[in-house]
Amino acid sequence: MKSYLLVVSLLCLSKVFGQSMSEGEKMFNNYEYQRAYSIYKSLYATEEFQTEDLKRFAYSSFVIGEFQTSYNLLPRLLESENIEPYFSYMKGEVCMHLKKYGEAKQAYLNYQQLDDEYNVSVKIQSCDLINSWTDQEHIEVKNLDRNDSKADFCGVKTPYGRIEYHEEGVDSSGNEITKERIDYSELVVLKPFITDSNGVLHRLMIDEKFKYGSISSIAIHAATGIAYLTISEPISADLFKLAPHIYTGTWDSENYSILSITPWVNGGFSDSTACAHLSISENGKYMAFSKMQNDQSDIFTSQFNDNLWSVATPLTAVNTSLNEMYPLFLGDTMLSFSSDGRPGYGNLDVYTYNLTSQAINHLKSPVNGPMDDFNFIYESADSALFVSNRFGGKGDDDAYEIVFRRFIPEPVVEPDSSDYFAFFENWVDQKIYFDFDKFNLKRDVKIIDELVVLLAKYPTVSINLEAHADKRGEVGYNDVLSQKRAETVQSELEKLGISKSQITIQAKGEKEPIVDCVKCSDEIYAANRVVIITLKK
């Protein structure tokens, strides 16, 4: 009887287990990865997980940000026969999130030998560089209050207020879904809003024909009163309209509306390309936008002359063989953009580009991270806004504000005759001597205390370190030796609290000796192994 009951119990348990595994697969196939993960996690203690179940469990964990779980599953999965190359790629991504950069590099290298669907060359470079990067100094990173469970984008400031974008839901009849029920809406589209000078948020009104359009960027050309906007139509039967394109319309600042919307000449209509993420410089002379063709996104620019925009051309100094997108002008000559074609923390990273010098700067963590980071724009002198789909946010894409730690210099004290002028009048250049072929300080060397006090009190005062070597040895060697002697003195001065900005260096080598000679004595050689500290107003 006991044996019979045991068999019945095991059969029932097996049936329940099978049903649960089936439910997990159903959730997975419906893209409900959080629910699939919960089911698989509750069942993993058993030994009945097959390879396909492991794949679904590992992928669900990865998608919802349970990276440690995914990391623990992948070794067993990667030992399976005929496992897809994607899981080697996924291990690289998981390890990037866990900051296991050595393992990430090896996983990407393994994937590179198996498949080429994903270009991982830049990711491999990133694994070698990332530990050398220093985080951006900051006070805090804030998830903005207006974010909800869907996508929320920050946009540019205009003379009429800051533009921002929030996803809204509609049902099959076109009725708007309330925020409380947005997670149950049949369609979600991005809509534009503007915050006026009083902080009031206004919905921007668009032509009725674009009622179901998703609008991801707007720029207003102040000189002409024309608005440029990116629109895609996700419920259109026309495949061309499913992709974003750039349109123009008439801007009505009183009613916060854009009407009479028509296709823009550079908006991707003539060559059937997707165009989005447009931005106009503050002076109205330049426009930048991203253009996708052949499964690759590049940044294009156009110039405004004689009341017309020029033919858009690729920004070759910025574009790579991968993707560059989300350009935003920061004034007239600086542009922020996002790229996955340069070394970075993960997927899309934010960079800035100076149109004058063509210098490109990679922003460091916490602006950038392992996910997508974009739409970076300064909010004030010491803060900026950006968008990220990083884990831990409120929704799919959230807008964030970063407050930078800004250096505030001490007020400059004006010199007074009691110490400042007297010190200069009595100053005698200080000389620090070195042993032959050495650049370390002698034990008896002492920097005079009054010099340190004066430089700390008067930041406009500086010193020059003129470094010399005797003429024994090669000329090039002596140049380097004198440079090292100057740097040694500089380091000692910095330890005493003198700012590096107050110190200049001149390495003379054996040229311009303090004491010139043909047949030099040891005393003359010693006199030429010196760093001279000169005071400058």
Side-chain angles (χ1 to χ4, degrees):
M1 185 65 178
K2 289 182 180 179
S3 299
Y4 172 76
L5 290 175
L6 178 61
V7 170
V8 171
S9 298
L10 289 173
L11 286 172
C12 291
L13 180 62
S14 176
K15 185 176 181 181
V16 171
F17 177 80
Q19 288 175 336
S20 297
M21 291 293 283
S22 176
E23 186 66 17
E25 182 179 355
K26 178 182 177 182
M27 294 297 105
F28 182 90
N29 291 335
N30 288 336
Y31 310 107
E32 297 185 48
Y33 298 118
Q34 181 66 59
R35 296 176 68 181
Y37 165 80
S38 298
I39 292 171
Y40 289 132
K41 183 181 179 183
S42 67
L43 298 173
Y44 189 61
T46 72
E47 295 295 325
E48 297 191 41
F49 264 62
Q50 302 300 314
T51 299
E52 293 303 314
D53 301 319
L54 274 177
K55 288 179 185 178
R56 287 188 283 268
F57 188 16
Y59 185 80
S60 298
S61 304
F62 170 59
V63 169
I64 67 170
E66 293 290 343
F67 299 113
Q68 190 61 53
T69 300
S70 189
Y71 176 79
N72 294 339
L73 294 170
L74 281 166
R76 178 181 166 188
L77 194 55
L78 290 170
E79 290 174 358
S80 305
E81 291 185 9
N82 302 318
I83 192 70
E84 292 88 340
Y86 174 80
F87 289 95
S88 291
Y89 172 80
M90 192 171 88
K91 182 176 181 181
E93 296 290 283
V94 166
C95 289
M96 288 294 281
H97 280 276
L98 296 176
K99 299 184 178 181
K100 299 177 183 288
Y101 302 121
E103 289 187 58
K105 179 180 179 180
Q106 188 57 56
Y108 289 135
L109 288 169
N110 292 342
Y111 171 79
Q112 203 172 43
Q113 293 177 343
L114 299 169
D115 200 6
D116 61 358
E117 181 179 356
Y118 298 97
N119 186 334
V120 294
S121 298
V122 174
K123 291 179 180 287
I124 292 169
Q125 293 176 37
S126 301
C127 292
D128 289 331
L129 295 171
I130 199 166
N131 280 323
S132 67
W133 295 338
T134 302
D135 287 358
Q136 169 70 52
E137 288 193 17
H138 67 287
I139 297 172
E140 63 177 334
V141 176
K142 298 184 290 187
N143 189 299
L144 298 187
D145 292 339
R146 287 202 181 105
N147 295 328
D148 58 27
S149 63
K150 295 300 180 182
D152 302 278
F153 287 17
C154 57
V156 297
K157 280 183 179 177
T158 73
Y160 318 100
R162 178 177 291 286
I163 297 175
E164 54 191 74
Y165 309 87
H166 302 279
E167 278 189 331
E168 292 189 343
V170 294
D171 62 21
S172 57
S173 301
N175 298 312
E176 188 174 318
I177 300 293
T178 61
K179 271 189 172 293
E180 292 74 20
R181 294 188 55 79
I182 191 171
D183 290 336
Y184 304 98
S185 59
E186 298 174 45
L187 173 68
V188 177
V189 291
L190 205 59
K191 293 297 184 183
F193 295 78
I194 191 165
T195 305
D196 65 22
S197 57
N198 297 316
V200 178
L201 189 68
H202 302 270
R203 167 84 173 268
L204 288 181
M205 304 308 296
I206 308 295
D207 270 354
E208 182 67 19
K209 64 182 177 181
F210 294 108
K211 181 177 181 179
Y212 301 117
S214 188
I215 300 168
S216 58
S217 62
I218 293 177
I220 300 169
H221 193 245
T224 59
I226 295 176
Y228 297 81
L229 62 167
T230 299
I231 305 177
S232 60
E233 300 180 64
I235 63 171
S236 174
D238 185 343
L239 291 178
F240 177 78
K241 293 182 179 180
L242 293 175
H245 299 92
I246 301 175
Y247 295 77
T248 65
T250 303
W251 168 244
D252 181 351
S253 60
E254 291 186 5
N255 297 305
Y256 298 111
S257 63
I258 302 174
L259 304 174
S260 305
I261 296 175
T262 57
W264 181 50
V265 63
N266 285 327
F269 297 93
S270 60
D271 56 5
S272 300
T273 57
C275 296
H277 320 133
L278 66 98
S279 178
I280 295 177
S281 61
E282 286 186 6
N283 60 16
K285 292 183 178 180
Y286 301 98
M287 178 188 287
F289 60 92
S290 53
K291 186 182 187 76
M292 179 169 283
Q293 45 194 352
N294 301 322
D295 295 324
Q296 176 186 328
S297 179
D298 286 329
I299 293 176
F300 279 64
T301 58
S302 178
Q303 192 167 350
F304 193 72
N305 287 313
D306 298 326
N307 216 36
L308 292 173
W309 289 102
S310 65
V311 174
T313 56
L315 189 57
T316 54
V318 163
N319 295 327
T320 67
S321 60
L322 294 178
N323 297 294
E324 280 68 43
M325 55 184 70
Y326 297 104
L328 279 177
F329 275 99
L330 311 175
D332 295 328
T333 60
M334 187 74 76
L335 191 72
S336 76
F337 68 96
S338 291
S339 171
D340 62 5
R342 290 180 164 77
Y345 290 89
N347 295 327
L348 287 175
D349 270 26
V350 176
Y351 301 78
T352 60
Y353 171 68
N354 188 307
L355 277 71
T356 303
S357 67
Q358 295 194 330
I360 295 176
N361 177 47
H362 176 218
L363 302 189
K364 302 302 188 291
S365 174
V367 172
N368 285 317
M371 298 295 284
D372 294 324
D373 304 289
F374 53 97
N375 267 38
F376 178 90
I377 191 158
Y378 286 105
E379 173 73 357
S380 66
D382 55 4
S383 67
L385 302 177
F386 65 97
V387 180
S388 178
N389 64 349
R390 61 190 58 184
F391 289 97
K394 298 177 184 177
D396 300 332
D397 296 288
D398 281 359
Y400 292 83
E401 180 182 18
I402 180 169
V403 180
F404 298 110
R405 188 180 301 280
R406 188 166 49 145
F407 172 72
I408 302 175
E410 294 290 332
V412 176
V413 180
E414 292 298 326
D416 61 70
S417 57
S418 62
D419 59 355
Y420 179 84
F421 295 109
F423 191 87
F424 268 95
E425 185 176 344
N426 297 319
W427 171 259
V428 177
D429 290 346
Q430 188 173 1
K431 296 180 179 179
I432 299 176
Y433 294 97
F434 293 80
D435 290 332
F436 173 66
D437 200 26
K438 302 293 183 183
F439 56 86
N440 54 299
L441 292 178
K442 297 181 180 180
R443 290 187 178 182
D444 59 349
V445 169
K446 186 177 186 302
I447 308 295
I448 59 174
D449 294 335
E450 292 84 356
L451 174 63
V452 177
V453 172
L454 183 86
L455 290 172
K457 187 174 182 180
Y458 301 113
T460 57
V461 177
S462 62
I463 56 175
N464 182 64
L465 306 180
E466 184 181 294
H468 297 264
D470 67 42
K471 64 181 181 181
R472 289 175 290 182
E474 297 291 333
V475 173
Y477 179 85
N478 286 332
D479 288 341
V480 173
L481 181 60
S482 65
Q483 176 72 27
K484 289 182 177 179
R485 286 171 175 167
E487 290 172 352
T488 298
V489 176
Q490 179 185 29
S491 177
E492 188 66 22
L493 291 168
E494 289 178 25
K495 289 177 185 176
L496 295 172
I498 296 174
S499 171
K500 188 175 183 178
S501 64
Q502 292 176 275
I503 305 170
T504 58
I505 288 177
Q506 288 180 299
K508 300 287 189 178
E510 64 182 68
K511 302 181 288 291
E512 302 180 32
I514 304 303
V515 181
D516 203 358
C517 60
V518 178
K519 292 184 178 181
C520 302
S521 64
D522 289 341
E523 290 77 11
I524 292 177
Y525 281 137
N528 287 328
R529 298 192 298 267
V530 65
V531 171
I532 303 172
I533 302 178
T534 305
L535 195 60
K536 300 189 297 181
K537 293 183 182 180

